[in-house]
Amino acid sequence: MYVHIEGDNDVRRRNIPEAEQRAVGKFLRRMLPILVLMLLVNQMDRTNVGFVQNELRADVGVSATAYGLGAGLFFIGYALFEVPSNMLLERFGARVWLTRIMITWGAVIAAMCFIHNVWMFYGLRFLLGVAEAGFFPGVLLYFTQWLPDSSRGRASAIFLGGSATAYIVTGPITGALLELHGAGGIAGWRWMFALEGAFSIVVGFIAGFFLVSRIQDAKWLTQEEKDALTEAVERDKEARDRAPSVSRMKLIFHPQVAVLTAVFFAMALTGYAITFWLPSLVEEIGGLSPFQIGLLSAIPWICAVIAMYTMSHFTDRAPDRRPYLAIALVLSAIGTFLATLGSPWFGLAALTLAAVGGKCAATLFWPMAQSGLDLKIAAPGLALVNSIGNLGGFVSPTLFGYLKDTTGSTTGGLYTLSAASVLAVLGVAFVRHTSRGPKAGSGDRTAVGGATAVR
């Protein structure tokens, strides 16, 4: 028996065996919840340092410049070890390697409670990037080993929901843990790192009991379902393998890859600047407890997620996403510029606008980037865009920290973000546009082969 569905990547109709559909449904119900939880914890552990900037300065002597550099060093370690980590995942399997990644980064987070000088801060932030390297692309690679192209867009969309949720819950959870300040004579920030690190380790061990590396090892699939799913995955793998390979050096100088990388780099500058510096801006309001700071820090992300999903209903079927992406980047530029004016409350409202623009831009960017690249370079090209563009996460906090120490203000950094977003608007005009059929929908959010997606 066959059921008729609409494909995700190429918007074509194809017949899908019922056994394959049952197998995909079981994977989504059994594997995705633990993967989403892992991603949520991952995003929280990567950004929780944004809530303890003042505590690190008072207790350890970490200046604003040192804080910005340490926050950014994570992305250097991540970029250097991302590819080797994915290679090891293919060798050892997702169950072993994704579990190893999570337990290791949990141990590094827990070790941060023992920081007593700036060099320990630098070293542990770099090690956190090394430990976490490969998790996000590793999960997407795991999807290619388990799901055919026609089902991967849905899985990736569900998985990425964990990233959006993490921005909302990180503030309240971290703020609540900071309220433990003084318990047992231990500073609240040390409690925060210790408990969040321990939780990551526990979740990592639990994941080891749930994850299954190979389709044929899944006891919850019938043999018919295993065979149907294996056949579909192998068929898509053969199609990808037939595409000619392109060297990374050639990709760097490919005009479309270069333009997309520049646009995404500008977006990453704003996104990570807000992530790491928003709590300190909220704290300037004064008279707030750590938990209240965490709650207020969640407001921009709540608004951004609502805007992101609302906007997708209007843009998924749009013939050209570029005007919408340009508008989102303009909103981001206006928000970061307005954040230089007025009171901290006004600054929070302005950064909320910037976060809305940034998240909406990310939602629009990856589908547009996918359609703008030739099929033969789509997967490696988008992976390269993601890898280099994410280095904006190193540049922006480092720049903000330096400016805070040298000028006493982050105003110069906010002006830089505004300028970068405006330049990104100009870059959008050079992104190649490919017409999409009237039935194109949200399923095209993932690159062919699962190379990358909205984070």
Side-chain angles (χ1 to χ4, degrees):
M1 179 180 177
Y2 291 82
V3 291
H4 207 80
I5 69 167
E6 187 174 88
D8 284 309
N9 293 316
D10 56 6
V11 198
R12 293 180 291 119
R13 293 188 177 275
R14 54 177 294 200
N15 290 322
I16 304 297
E18 186 179 14
E20 178 187 328
Q21 289 296 292
R22 290 200 308 269
V24 168
K26 289 182 178 180
F27 176 86
L28 297 180
R29 291 191 298 272
R30 291 174 177 268
M31 295 294 100
L32 270 187
I34 187 65
L35 291 172
V36 168
L37 176 61
M38 293 171 76
L39 179 62
L40 191 153
V41 176
N42 168 260
Q43 297 293 293
M44 182 169 63
D45 287 346
R46 152 188 309 202
T47 60
N48 56 14
V49 70
F51 291 86
V52 296
Q53 179 184 353
N54 290 337
E55 287 82 355
L56 289 174
R57 181 172 61 248
D59 295 352
V60 186
V62 176
S63 65
T65 300
Y67 165 77
L69 177 59
L73 280 173
F74 166 91
F75 296 93
I76 301 298
Y78 190 96
L80 289 175
F81 288 88
E82 182 175 5
V83 173
S85 180
N86 257 26
M87 294 171 64
L88 289 170
L89 184 144
E90 289 193 278
R91 178 178 179 181
F92 292 106
R95 180 179 183 181
V96 171
W97 199 246
L98 292 180
T99 298
R100 193 285 306 164
I101 289 175
M102 188 165 197
I103 292 174
T104 305
W105 96 54
V108 175
I109 286 292
M112 291 185 73
C113 74
F114 299 107
I115 291 175
H116 61 266
N117 61 51
V118 68
W119 292 105
M120 283 190 69
F121 177 60
Y122 289 157
L124 287 173
R125 282 295 296 180
F126 179 81
L127 284 177
L128 181 62
V130 173
E132 187 188 312
F135 172 72
F136 183 80
V139 172
L140 296 181
L141 177 62
Y142 183 45
F143 286 163
T144 69
Q145 297 170 346
W146 265 86
L147 299 172
D149 290 344
S150 59
S151 301
R152 206 172 308 134
R154 180 170 34 139
S156 296
I158 297 172
F159 174 64
L160 290 164
S163 177
T165 304
Y167 285 103
I168 297 173
V169 304
T170 294
I173 291 176
T174 301
L177 293 177
L178 290 174
E179 296 279 2
L180 294 174
H181 182 73
I186 300 174
W189 66 271
R190 297 187 188 274
W191 275 117
M192 184 269 290
F193 281 128
L195 293 176
E196 290 189 354
F199 182 68
S200 300
I201 294 172
V202 170
V203 173
F205 277 111
I206 293 174
F209 290 98
F210 282 90
L211 296 178
V212 180
S213 297
R214 298 172 61 251
I215 295 173
Q216 294 297 327
D217 294 336
K219 297 179 180 179
W220 32 268
L221 292 177
T222 66
Q223 192 59 49
E224 179 190 14
E225 292 166 346
K226 292 177 183 178
D227 294 341
L229 192 56
T230 299
E231 180 183 352
V233 170
E234 288 298 320
R235 183 171 57 247
D236 289 337
K237 182 178 182 298
E238 290 173 3
R240 291 193 300 272
D241 290 344
R242 285 196 296 269
S245 60
V246 182
S247 70
R248 176 163 289 204
M249 188 57 65
K250 288 183 178 180
L251 280 176
I252 291 176
F253 294 102
H254 187 284
Q256 279 301 298
V257 172
V259 169
L260 291 169
T261 300
V263 172
F264 183 55
F265 182 85
M267 291 163 53
L269 284 176
T270 300
Y272 285 113
I274 296 174
T275 298
F276 288 118
W277 289 89
L278 176 63
S280 63
L281 182 143
V282 173
E283 194 168 2
E284 291 178 7
I285 294 173
L288 300 174
S289 69
F291 181 64
Q292 290 171 325
I293 292 172
L295 286 177
L296 288 176
S297 297
I299 290 176
W301 306 116
I302 294 173
C303 295
V305 170
I306 293 173
M308 180 178 66
Y309 285 108
T310 301
M311 179 207 62
S312 66
H313 289 291
F314 297 97
T315 60
D316 274 352
R317 298 177 183 273
D320 187 357
R321 286 189 174 97
R322 290 179 300 176
Y324 297 96
L325 176 58
I327 292 172
L329 290 169
V330 168
L331 289 178
S332 182
I334 293 174
T336 51
F337 177 79
L338 291 178
T340 65
L341 310 173
S343 67
W345 281 107
F346 182 80
L348 176 61
L351 288 184
T352 298
L353 179 63
V356 167
K359 273 295 181 183
C360 289
T363 305
L364 291 161
F365 175 81
W366 289 113
M368 189 183 73
Q370 174 195 338
S371 63
L373 291 177
D374 296 331
L375 181 61
K376 65 181 180 181
I377 66 168
L382 291 177
L384 187 63
V385 170
N386 185 61
S387 178
I388 297 178
N390 263 320
L391 290 178
F394 169 76
V395 174
S396 59
T398 304
L399 174 65
F400 267 62
Y402 172 76
L403 292 174
K404 183 70 178 292
D405 272 345
T406 55
T407 68
S409 170
T410 58
T411 298
L414 292 167
Y415 286 150
T416 302
L417 296 182
S418 296
S421 294
V422 171
L423 291 175
V425 173
L426 299 178
V428 170
F430 293 94
V431 175
R432 190 175 71 180
H433 168 57
T434 301
S435 297
R436 300 185 298 136
K439 291 183 180 180
S442 58
D444 61 354
R445 285 195 179 95
T446 344
V448 175
T452 189
V454 180
R455 279 196 85 176

